[in-house]
Amino acid sequence: MLQRLKNARDLHEALHVGMHDLMSLLGAERGNVQLVGRDDELVVVAQHGLTTRFLDAFRRVSTTSASVCGRAAAAGELVFVADVAEDAQFGPHLSVTRSEGITSILSCPLTTADDEWVGMVSAHFALRADPTPLERQSVAEYGEALARTVDQLLPRRGRVEAVEAMAEALRESIGATSTS
């Protein structure tokens, strides 16, 4: 997995490789990558298997959000929710995830070696998941590698503007091809 990530030719490819590797490692059906945009909010820049409704609902996520990715961002560590319907904090987002058929969510912050937060990678499961401690540790370590790759491939100068442009391009491409 790390070799595939290292061999990515550009940021777009690295984001998709990272997201798909995480999904494969955990057996998730859906996934997304969010990067830090303006106002330190997470914006989706890569996704697999999610509808326009989901992407609109999580278009911008702050670290004060009750979403799994918002909590992981606030905590600075991996957050896993085995069943979103049983998670009291997740209530405001339940109707969207139910309509998507999502039961479990794992979100892993992307933080560089010098503790710079660059984003989040998340896996979404149709069935209740239960990642082992080894799987969670592997995800956290892979998240560090993905964060380093993002940091190398996304110039610091103009980073926020580049992230916002990537998010807008994704929304436009999904809107043009989505039937939901």
Side-chain angles (χ1 to χ4, degrees):
M1 286 185 353
L2 292 174
Q3 192 61 45
R4 255 192 322 276
L5 186 59
K6 184 178 179 180
N7 290 340
R9 295 174 301 234
D10 57 33
L11 181 60
H12 179 76
E13 183 178 349
L15 295 173
H16 284 273
V17 165
M19 176 181 61
H20 286 285
D21 282 350
L22 177 77
M23 291 168 52
S24 295
L25 174 66
L26 297 170
E29 297 83 8
R30 299 174 190 99
N32 69 297
V33 179
Q34 299 160 295
L35 296 180
V36 179
R38 68 176 170 270
D39 300 324
D40 282 334
E41 291 181 316
L42 292 167
V43 293
V44 179
V45 295
Q47 69 87 27
H48 176 81
L50 299 168
T51 66
T52 302
R53 180 174 184 221
F54 181 94
L55 295 170
D56 286 345
F58 295 96
R59 183 177 187 167
R60 303 194 77 78
V61 177
S62 78
T63 59
T64 61
S65 169
S67 66
V68 179
C69 57
R71 286 186 265 169
E77 62 187 25
L78 185 146
V79 171
F80 172 69
V81 174
D83 191 331
V84 293
E86 295 174 1
D87 186 82
Q89 294 180 54
F90 196 76
H93 308 290
L94 192 54
S95 67
V96 173
T97 53
R98 276 196 178 155
S99 72
E100 295 284 317
I102 295 170
T103 301
S104 299
I105 301 173
L106 180 143
S107 290
C108 176
L110 303 177
T111 307
T112 65
D114 56 352
D115 289 329
E116 182 182 352
W117 180 55
V118 296
M120 187 75 53
V121 61
S122 298
H124 308 272
F125 305 83
L127 301 175
R128 187 181 182 111
D130 188 20
T132 66
L134 180 59
E135 288 171 326
R136 291 180 194 211
Q137 179 63 35
S138 296
V139 166
E141 290 173 6
Y142 190 80
E144 292 171 6
L146 181 55
R148 283 191 306 272
T149 301
V150 168
D151 192 44
Q152 290 169 357
L153 295 174
L154 187 60
R156 289 179 187 248
R157 183 180 195 114
R159 182 172 280 192
V160 169
E161 294 80 7
V163 167
E164 293 291 341
M166 291 169 62
E168 185 58 33
L170 175 67
R171 282 191 293 277
E172 288 175 5
S173 72
I174 297 298
T177 61
S178 177
T179 59
S180 52

